[in-house]
């Protein structure tokens, strides 16, 4: 039962991470989830930015992206945490220079030192 409890705890922690990311993207506040950035995060954004970034770089890359593609709303619609690499996807409604748009968001996590970290964020 201790293995099951550990798995459930990891699943709950992954849900918390996704909730924080959802909260942050919904309000264009990277600060709400920046502590989940790992040493190396893969980002692929609708503005053409793609690659691996450090935690610090990831913070500013996403902050800059959200300053142009201002979030109107963001909701995760699919969350899978019962796996060693949890992932979630959802829809970001944004405003870019007065023009509304929608982007699909994909987020993946990985476990390092018993902490969930973002391995990937795709916004296209």
């Amino acid at each position: 039962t201790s293995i099951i409890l550990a798995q459930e705890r990891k699943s709950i922690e992954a849900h918390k991470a996704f909730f924080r990311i959802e909260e942050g993207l919904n309000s264009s506040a990277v600060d709400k989830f920046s502590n989940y950035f790992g040493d190396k995060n893969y980002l692929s954004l609708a503005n053409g930015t793609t690659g691996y970034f450090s935690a610090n770089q990831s913070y500013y890359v996403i902050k800059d992206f959200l300053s142009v593609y201002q979030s109107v709303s963001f909701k995760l619609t699919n969350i899978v945490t019962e796996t060693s690499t949890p992932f979630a996807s959802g829809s970001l409604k944004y405003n870019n220079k007065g023009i509304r748009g929608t982007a699909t968001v994909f987020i993946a996590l990985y476990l390092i030192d018993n902490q969930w970290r973002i391995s990937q964020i795709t916004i296209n």
Side-chain angles (χ1 to χ4, degrees):
T1 58
S2 63
I3 292 171
I4 292 168
L5 288 174
Q7 287 171 334
E8 282 181 21
R9 192 166 38 255
K10 283 191 171 100
S11 179
I12 290 166
E13 291 301 318
H15 267 281
K16 282 184 191 172
F18 287 129
F19 175 76
R20 289 274 179 251
I21 295 165
E22 181 179 61
E23 201 176 34
L25 288 176
N26 193 40
S27 60
S28 294
V30 184
D31 312 65
K32 292 191 177 183
F33 63 91
S34 61
N35 59 319
Y36 288 103
F37 286 129
D39 294 339
K40 194 168 74 170
N41 312 280
Y42 180 77
L43 305 179
S44 178
L45 307 178
N47 64 0
T49 302
T50 302
Y52 287 92
F53 299 90
S54 70
N56 196 37
Q57 289 170 320
S58 297
Y59 175 88
Y60 288 105
V61 166
I62 292 182
K63 190 174 174 75
D64 289 349
F65 176 83
L66 292 173
S67 71
V68 176
Y69 295 83
Q70 296 165 337
S71 178
V72 173
S73 69
F74 175 66
K75 184 77 180 141
L76 287 172
T77 52
N78 182 34
I79 300 173
V80 177
T81 59
E82 295 77 26
T83 174
S84 60
T85 53
F87 60 91
S89 60
S91 184
L92 173 69
K93 291 182 177 25
Y94 61 83
N95 190 344
N96 180 2
K97 298 177 187 155
I99 299 168
R100 288 211 175 202
T102 304
T104 300
V105 178
F106 176 82
I107 304 152
L109 303 177
Y110 70 101
L111 197 61
I112 186 154
D113 297 332
N114 234 10
Q115 297 286 318
W116 289 115
R117 296 288 179 238
I118 296 167
S119 62
Q120 177 181 348
I121 295 180
T122 303
I123 305 175
N124 286 319

